[in-house]
């Protein structure tokens, strides 16, 4: 009996325990993993050239022997080692040189057969190949390294391309006849996709570039499809789930809105419309609210909270930092009492609101736990502390999650499970293009606020090198002298946390005693006790601190209108979206404001990236750039969406295919959610292998 595809890799001939280990180290554990381990790139060696026919300036492939009497020397020129081999076929000879790889000398014994692939250049009177890629060929072996389009892999340690290629060839020969295609025939034929066997053969050893492209298309589709079927299933399940049908007290809502010191933008209005209709419906709301920094998402969420509370439910509002929790708490408490103040009544605490963070004492915390459980609190705003087991709601009706990218999907679910199918509103200030959002956050409905409130001006953004920092300081001083406030942000990354904190402190000391002697400076970073952080923030808010040196604790949500200038040190160390978030901390009032990026990476690739910050002010545009640069895996973070598991499909360049895969997945699930039809059985098997937890979603009820 032959082994099946999920047999461990060591069952393959030629793979012993040691080699198996190096395969495991790059994620190849089973035969199937190996078949799905795709080439990094290809070399078109389909045309072998004879040495006599080589053309100057072109990349070509030859098959030749190291000449018995050819020179093989190694010498040093300006500290560089050069290896030369004379090779020949029956039409002529040519010299090949390799720089700085002295160990190569061992390979080029006279008589050795080589496939050489490289650019032919003139050297003096003769032609030569510089740094060609080469492979040693032995007679009688299947030659997968020439006369064809040749795959190039990221190799496990201790293996060469040739060996790896031959191994793959053998695995394909042996296992392809036993492959079963998990994509149902209808879906394959409607999308004009190759079958699995053809695809795997052609992704590794393409018969033509066209077939390689079709193989890629098919395998990318498969990946997207397997990722979208469970999403479609979850979405269907959500739609069936009966949640809360909130009773909307229109008068309460209008009086809250009337009390606000501004008029809602039309985007805010329309998003609110969508949220209201979700909340009124018995289906569970699962809505993602995307909007640029400062677009006014919080007030929309607050109104949703007022609706839920008006109907007798409790609301949990989770944010990523204490400072932000406190800010929301204060703002919402104030806004909620505005209608009373305006009506000339004394502010009536009709909204019972609590703040729950990690820095409460045990006694305070337990008191709040009790109040939440008894239903004596309507709205609790908090950090991760909300996820603690002690937090039990009497009747949780709405969950709001701000800055969702800071939380994992699991944390979201944890909070939601504290109620009986509460509505969920998730907010993000790292907006991505709608088509991409729909597919990636597949089971969420999406609302977008595109407009900023009126009167906002784009933040004047500049890029300076370190040696021009004095200019940056001049801009900051100009602002300070007008009574405005300034942030100086210092990058602190996890990998070098202690060092970076020390850097931030040092910089604070230098600025305080130097450039900014005449002003009041403050320092805030994540290592300070929460209480100390709060004190600093409060002082800044009250204007007692003019210039705040800070780490990225500032990143999310902080809203202080008098701060009009931000200097970001070593800006190249941040991602674009993060820079945009940081920049969103200024320009929140009507005054002109400034964001100065300081970086010595100007000329490099990182510098080009930073130019995007000067050029673009739209968070959607910037997210798009950022996505392109960092790729979806890093952009969305490891915790989310299984995107990092995509081995071949790229949702950015393959948007149409992703969209199609999603549509097909939705259609399939609508017609056969249990995947019980005969043509879907293989798909079902594959899915349950990947996601055993979906079994229960496949049944109705
Ligand atoms: P974000 O979307 O980044 O969470 P916020 O909700 O913090 O934005 O809003 C940014 C600022 O804009 C806040 O000070 C908020 O009070 C104010 N704001 C919100 N909506 C409006 C509006 N329609 N008109 C004017 N200012 C608004
Ligand atoms: Mg916000």
């Amino acid at each position: 009996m032959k082994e099946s595809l999920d047999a461990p890799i060591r069952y393959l001939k030629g793979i012993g325990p040691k080699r198996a280990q190096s395969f495991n180290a790059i994620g190849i554990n089973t035969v199937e993993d190996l078949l799905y381990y795709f080439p990094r790139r290809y070399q078109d060696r389909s045309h072998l050239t004879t040495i006599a026919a080589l053309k100057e300036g072109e990349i070509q492939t030859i098959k030749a022997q190291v000449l018995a009497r050819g020179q093989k020397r190694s010498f040093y020129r300006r500290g560089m080692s050069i290896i030369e081999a004379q090779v020949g076929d029956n039409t002529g000879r040519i010299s090949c040189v390799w720089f700085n790889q002295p160990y190569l000398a061992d390979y080029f014994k006279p008589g050795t057969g080589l496939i050489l692939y490289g650019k032919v250049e003139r050297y003096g009177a003769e032609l030569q190949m510089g740094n060609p890629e080469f492979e040693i060929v032995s007679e009688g072996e299947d030659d997968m390294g020439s006369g064809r389009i040749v795959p190039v892999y990221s190799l496990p340690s201790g293996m060469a391309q040739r060996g790896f290629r031959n191994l793959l060839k053998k695995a394909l020969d042996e296992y392809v006849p036993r492959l079963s295609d998990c994509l149902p025939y209808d879906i394959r034929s409607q999308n004009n996709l190759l079958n699995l066997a053809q695809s795997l053969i052609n992704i590794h050893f393409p018969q033509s570039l066209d077939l390689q492209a079709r193989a890629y298309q098919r395998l990318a589709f498969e990946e997207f499809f397997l990722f979208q079927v469970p999403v479609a299933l979850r979405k269907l399940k959500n739609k069936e789930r009966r949640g809360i049908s909130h009773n909307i007290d229109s008068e309460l809502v209008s009086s809250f809105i009337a009390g606000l010191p501004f008029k809602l933008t039309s985007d805010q209005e329309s998003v609110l419309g969508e949220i209201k209709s979700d909340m009124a419906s018995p289906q569970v709301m699962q809505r993602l609210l995307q909007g640029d920094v400062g677009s006014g998402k919080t007030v929309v969420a607050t109104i949703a909270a007022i609706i839920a509370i008006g109907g007798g439910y409790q609301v949990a509002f989770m944010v990523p930092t204490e400072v932000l929790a406190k800010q929301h708490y204060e703002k919402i408490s104030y806004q909620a009492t505005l209608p009373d103040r305006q009506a000339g009544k004394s502010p009536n605490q009709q909204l019972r609101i609590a703040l729950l963070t990690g820095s409460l004492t045990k006694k305070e915390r337990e008191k709040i736990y009790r109040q939440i459980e008894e239903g004596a609190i309507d709205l609790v705003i908090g950090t991760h502390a909300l996820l603690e087991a002690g937090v039990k709601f009497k009747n949780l009706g709405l969950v709001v999650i701000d800055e969702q990218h800071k939380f994992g999907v699991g944390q979201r679910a944890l909070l939601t499970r504290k109620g009986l199918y509460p509505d969920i509103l998730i907010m993000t200030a790292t907006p991505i293009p709608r088509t991409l959002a729909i597919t990636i956050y597949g089971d969420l409905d999406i609302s977008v606020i595109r407009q900023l409130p009126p009167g906002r001006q784009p933040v004047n953004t500049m890029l300076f090198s370190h040696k021009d920092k004095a200019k940056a300081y001049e801009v900051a001083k100009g602002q300070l002298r007008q009574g405005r406030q300034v942030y100086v942000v210092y990058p602190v990354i996890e990998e070098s946390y202690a060092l970076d904190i020390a850097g931030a402190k040092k910089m604070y000391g230098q600025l305080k005693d130097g450039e900014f002697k005449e002003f009041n400076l403050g320092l805030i970073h994540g290592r300070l006790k929460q209480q100390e952080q709060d004190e600093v923030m409060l002082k800044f808010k009250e204007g007692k601190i003019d210039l705040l040196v800070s780490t990225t604790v500032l990143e999310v949500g902080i809203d202080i209108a008098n701060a009009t200038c931000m200097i970001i040190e070593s800006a190249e160390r941040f991602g674009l979206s993060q820079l945009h978030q940081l920049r969103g901390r200024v320009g929140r009032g009507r005054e002109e404001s400034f964001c100065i990026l300081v970086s010595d990476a100007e000329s490099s690739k990182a510098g080009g990236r930073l130019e995007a910050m000067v050029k673009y002010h739209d968070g959607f545009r910037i997210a798009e750039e950022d996505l392109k640069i960092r790729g979806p895996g890093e952009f969305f973070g490891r915790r989310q969406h299984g995107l990092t598991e995509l081995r071949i499909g790229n949702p950015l360049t393959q948007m149409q295919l992703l969209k199609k895969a999603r549509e097909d997945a939705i259609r399939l699930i609508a017609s056969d959610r249990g995947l019980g039809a005969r043509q879907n059985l293989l798909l079902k098997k594959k899915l349950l292998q990947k996601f055993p937890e979906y079994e229960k979603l496949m049944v109705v009820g």
Side-chain angles (χ1 to χ4, degrees):
M1 240 292 289
K2 296 238 175 175
E3 300 297 336
S4 73
L5 279 169
D6 44 18
I9 191 74
R10 73 187 133 78
Y11 286 30
L12 275 180
K13 249 197 235 96
I15 299 195
K18 193 155 163 243
R19 184 152 281 174
Q21 256 179 26
S22 67
F23 275 63
N24 296 346
I26 58 169
I28 305 175
N29 298 306
T30 63
V31 175
E32 182 168 16
D33 291 340
L34 181 66
L35 299 185
Y36 277 84
Y37 190 77
F38 301 128
R40 186 157 45 91
R41 61 192 169 90
Y42 302 89
Q43 289 173 351
D44 189 352
R45 303 186 194 166
S46 36
H47 305 289
L48 268 186
T49 309
T50 57
I51 291 181
L54 284 174
K55 291 202 194 81
E56 184 181 341
E58 286 179 21
I59 296 176
Q60 291 149 97
T61 313
I62 56 172
K63 192 168 181 176
Q65 270 192 347
V66 177
L67 292 180
R69 276 193 240 140
Q71 300 169 48
K72 188 193 78 182
R73 58 196 157 98
S74 153
F75 58 90
Y76 287 83
R77 194 166 63 190
R78 277 187 239 117
M80 191 159 53
S81 86
I82 299 178
I83 294 287
E84 177 176 7
Q86 286 283 340
V87 303
D89 61 12
N90 49 25
T91 70
R93 55 165 66 189
I94 187 169
S95 135
C96 300
V97 294
W98 289 267
F99 302 97
N100 281 330
Q101 302 172 69
Y103 56 89
L104 289 182
D106 298 338
Y107 291 102
F108 303 139
K109 306 225 160 58
T112 308
L114 294 176
I115 298 283
L116 294 141
Y117 172 86
K119 192 166 180 183
V120 175
E121 276 157 341
R122 184 157 297 281
Y123 186 74
E126 308 201 338
L127 291 181
Q128 103 178 357
M129 266 190 172
N131 273 333
E133 305 212 17
F134 72 94
E135 255 170 74
I136 296 170
V137 289
S138 17
E139 290 307 316
E141 218 175 75
D142 254 3
D143 184 6
M144 301 309 289
S146 70
R148 55 166 40 261
I149 298 162
V150 174
V152 180
Y153 298 91
S154 305
L155 296 170
S157 71
M159 276 214 97
Q161 291 292 346
R162 188 173 64 116
F164 193 75
R165 227 152 30 213
N166 288 337
L167 197 78
L168 249 165
K169 177 73 172 64
K170 266 193 260 164
L172 282 169
D173 287 347
E174 188 174 340
Y175 284 89
V176 156
R178 277 180 284 148
L179 283 174
S180 39
D181 197 330
C182 69
L183 284 185
Y185 177 79
D186 284 355
I187 288 181
R188 247 189 295 147
S189 74
Q190 279 156 23
N191 292 291
N192 192 23
L193 299 172
L194 292 184
N195 70 28
L196 182 58
Q198 285 172 304
S199 306
L200 284 176
I201 291 170
N202 279 289
I203 202 76
H204 290 289
F205 300 104
Q207 280 150 11
S208 67
L209 287 178
D210 180 52
L211 276 170
Q212 187 278 337
R214 291 192 58 201
Y216 176 82
Q217 183 92 350
R218 139 80 208 218
L219 292 164
F221 184 94
E222 174 182 322
E223 238 179 21
F224 290 151
F225 189 70
L226 290 176
F227 169 56
Q228 290 294 327
V229 170
V231 171
L233 209 51
R234 263 206 313 269
K235 188 171 175 110
L236 183 69
K237 197 81 179 180
N238 281 337
K239 292 278 170 247
E240 289 167 355
R241 205 165 260 155
R242 286 190 68 87
I244 301 159
S245 173
H246 289 274
N247 219 335
I248 299 179
D249 179 344
S250 310
E251 213 167 294
L252 180 70
V253 175
S254 349
S255 92
F256 177 83
I257 293 175
L260 291 172
F262 47 75
K263 213 168 134 326
L264 294 181
T265 62
S266 60
D267 278 2
Q268 283 172 319
E269 295 270 13
S270 71
V271 163
L272 194 59
E274 292 167 333
I275 293 174
K276 274 186 189 165
S277 90
D278 281 358
M279 289 184 73
S281 118
Q283 282 176 4
V284 175
M285 170 166 80
Q286 300 248 37
R287 190 165 283 279
L288 175 72
L289 172 52
Q290 297 202 85
D292 208 343
V293 219
S295 61
K297 296 182 291 297
T298 316
V299 69
V300 171
T302 306
I303 296 168
I306 302 259
I307 291 173
I309 294 163
Y313 287 95
Q314 290 173 296
V315 178
F317 195 139
M318 183 161 73
V319 303
T321 66
E322 288 215 31
V323 176
L324 191 54
K326 219 154 276 178
Q327 178 185 293
H328 280 359
Y329 174 79
E330 279 157 18
K331 193 149 196 166
I332 294 173
S333 305
Y334 176 74
Q335 283 171 346
T337 54
L338 276 177
D340 283 341
R341 287 177 221 269
Q342 280 159 353
K345 292 189 238 165
S346 68
N348 166 15
Q349 265 312 334
Q350 53 185 188
L351 187 68
R352 298 166 302 172
I353 169 168
L355 179 66
L356 184 65
T357 63
S359 63
L360 295 181
T361 63
K362 185 157 183 266
K363 208 169 140 203
E364 292 167 324
R365 193 168 56 230
E366 274 165 4
K367 182 171 168 214
I368 293 180
Y369 283 179
R370 212 165 41 244
Q371 290 174 319
I372 295 174
E373 196 163 1
E374 285 165 358
I377 281 173
D378 305 311
L379 170 61
V380 51
I381 299 177
T383 56
H384 295 85
L386 284 172
L387 303 174
E388 295 293 324
V391 181
K392 296 191 192 96
F393 289 86
K394 186 166 180 221
N395 57 352
L396 181 61
L398 173 70
V399 166
V400 180
I401 295 175
D402 199 4
E403 310 290 349
Q404 66 92 25
H405 60 287
K406 297 277 171 188
F407 298 99
V409 178
Q411 291 174 314
R412 230 152 72 186
L414 205 60
L415 187 53
T416 311
R417 276 201 295 273
K418 290 181 183 284
L420 199 61
Y421 306 130
D423 283 341
I424 305 165
L425 180 65
I426 295 165
M427 303 196 284
T428 177
T430 309
I432 56 169
R434 191 181 181 89
T435 35
L436 186 59
I438 286 175
T439 45
I440 285 172
Y441 304 114
D443 51 340
L444 304 178
D445 294 308
I446 294 173
S447 295
V448 183
I449 304 184
R450 276 224 78 123
Q451 279 169 319
L452 294 181
R456 297 274 171 82
Q457 306 176 38
V459 177
N460 202 331
T461 305
M462 296 172 260
L463 181 56
F464 285 133
S465 66
H466 274 106
K467 72 174 175 5
D468 287 337
K469 220 149 90 172
K471 286 192 214 153
Y473 292 152
E474 279 316 307
V475 177
K477 278 185 214 161
Q479 291 300 297
L480 290 168
R481 288 191 190 113
Q482 291 173 49
R484 313 254 179 269
Q485 289 161 289
V486 172
Y487 300 109
V488 175
V489 182
Y490 195 89
V492 170
I493 56 171
E494 247 160 67
E495 291 79 45
S496 51
Y497 199 89
L499 212 69
D500 288 343
I501 291 275
K505 282 183 188 157
K506 191 168 149 212
M507 156 153 248
Y508 165 72
Q510 281 170 354
L511 294 179
K512 190 163 77 102
D513 301 328
E515 287 284 340
F516 295 96
K517 273 207 295 285
E518 52 194 301
F519 302 101
N520 294 318
L521 267 64
L523 172 67
I524 188 167
H525 57 76
R527 279 285 161 91
L528 289 180
K529 283 211 204 73
Q530 195 56 51
Q531 199 189 345
E532 295 169 306
Q533 285 189 33
D534 293 343
E535 278 162 20
V536 176
M537 269 334 281
L538 188 66
K539 277 195 194 155
F540 190 72
K541 208 178 220 165
E542 290 172 343
K544 290 180 190 150
I545 290 174
D546 305 310
L547 182 151
L548 183 60
V549 176
S550 159
T551 61
T552 39
V553 289
L554 270 192
E555 183 186 343
V556 285
I558 301 301
D559 185 24
I560 295 173
N562 192 46
T564 54
C565 178
M566 172 176 283
I567 298 177
I568 304 178
E569 288 286 328
S570 303
E572 75 282 354
R573 294 177 67 186
F574 296 99
L576 285 186
S577 298
Q578 208 180 1
L579 286 173
H580 184 65
Q581 290 286 316
L582 283 167
R583 175 168 67 182
R585 301 307 122 221
V586 294
R588 300 182 82 83
R590 287 180 176 269
E591 288 78 28
E592 180 177 25
S593 51
F594 302 87
C595 175
I596 301 168
L597 308 173
V598 181
S599 170
D600 277 339
E602 271 170 301
S603 54
S604 68
K605 206 164 129 202
R609 201 164 58 91
L610 294 178
E611 287 293 342
M613 291 299 298
V614 178
K615 214 156 72 197
Y616 305 123
H617 290 87
D618 174 0
F620 283 87
R621 190 74 190 73
I622 287 171
E624 224 173 304
E625 284 295 310
D626 201 20
L627 251 164
K628 261 192 245 157
I629 295 167
R630 289 195 291 161
E634 248 195 83
F635 179 86
F636 290 103
R638 314 228 159 272
R639 288 181 292 193
Q640 290 195 21
H641 315 300
L643 271 181
T644 37
E645 284 165 32
L646 294 182
R647 282 185 279 199
I648 189 165
N650 178 340
L652 282 184
T653 53
Q654 300 264 304
M655 193 98 94
Q656 280 311 315
L657 198 66
L658 175 55
K659 221 172 132 196
K660 193 66 188 21
R662 171 181 157 81
E663 286 163 10
D664 287 354
I666 291 173
R667 206 169 312 125
L668 177 73
I669 288 302
S671 71
D672 181 19
R673 72 137 46 156
L675 300 178
R678 191 185 312 161
Q679 70 271 23
N680 297 331
L681 286 179
L682 286 168
L683 175 66
K684 179 174 180 173
K685 188 166 154 233
K686 179 101 180 178
L687 271 174
L688 290 180
Q689 238 170 29
K690 268 178 91 113
F691 316 104
E693 67 274 22
Y694 284 109
E695 179 120 50
K696 54 183 187 298
L697 290 187
M698 290 183 170
V699 291
V700 188

